Amino acid sequence: MVLDAELARFIASPVMIIIGTRDKHNRAAIARGAGATVLKGSGMVEVIVSEWQWPDCIANIHATGHIAATFVRPSDYVAYQLKGRGTVRTAAEEDIRLSRRYVVDIVDTLGGLGVEPQLAAPWIVNAEAAVIRLAVEDVYLQTPGPGAGARLRGVA
């Protein structure tokens, strides 16, 4: 599935990123992303997370590969959820640079909405950064309202 340019821009913008995973026994774990990018023409999304902060989530991806990634714009709660299979790799310097830019941008965005920077800092960590590569299989609209949960067609 190839994501369209509008959704790719949304994912790469300062949005809140939540990764949901499950282990072999269907026990859930989550992680908060610290930056994301869409690999052009591939149907792949890469999300940077702190392996130090979210070890259970990383372990679940290694064990099962199942991922649901939700991207939410904090100003209006427009939200999309991407589901698929994933792998994990150690972050390269380019990933760290992307993550640093993301952290500055999302803290500024949240600050503009009244969230003090010192409150947001513990949420958005990239210590021991890892990159989750998600092969997108499904995309859902998750914006609150009557369309929430609708599977999007024509994304590819």
Side-chain angles (χ1 to χ4, degrees):
M1 169 178 292
V2 177
L3 305 181
D4 66 29
E6 183 178 332
L7 185 54
R9 279 190 299 277
F10 181 86
I11 289 168
S13 71
V15 292
M16 298 303 299
I17 306 166
I18 303 295
I19 303 295
T21 65
R22 64 178 187 208
D23 69 10
K24 296 183 289 192
H25 305 288
N26 284 327
R27 290 180 296 228
I30 63 161
R32 187 173 296 274
T37 190
V38 175
L39 303 179
K40 275 190 171 181
S42 70
M44 302 280 188
V45 174
E46 290 190 335
V47 179
I48 300 157
V49 300
S50 168
E51 192 165 0
W52 166 79
Q53 191 173 30
W54 310 110
D56 292 342
C57 185
I58 298 297
N60 288 351
I61 295 168
H62 286 301
T64 70
H66 295 286
I67 303 171
T70 305
F71 301 85
V72 182
R73 188 167 50 213
S75 62
D76 58 8
Y77 294 104
V78 169
Y80 296 93
Q81 185 178 70
L82 285 57
K83 292 185 178 184
R85 307 281 290 177
T87 58
V88 179
R89 67 174 171 80
T90 301
E93 188 54 39
E94 179 179 329
D95 303 312
I96 301 298
R97 283 192 299 272
L98 182 145
S99 181
R100 286 181 186 140
R101 282 192 308 274
Y102 167 84
V103 170
V104 168
D105 290 347
I106 194 66
V107 168
D108 286 348
T109 298
L110 292 169
L113 298 169
V115 178
E116 296 293 326
Q118 67 271 20
L119 294 176
W123 306 342
I124 309 157
V125 174
N126 63 6
E128 294 180 30
V131 176
I132 299 170
R133 179 176 279 188
L134 168 61
V136 179
E137 297 170 358
D138 292 301
V139 178
Y140 297 88
L141 177 66
Q142 294 296 9
T143 304
R151 184 170 184 256
L152 298 181
R153 304 244 182 249
V155 174

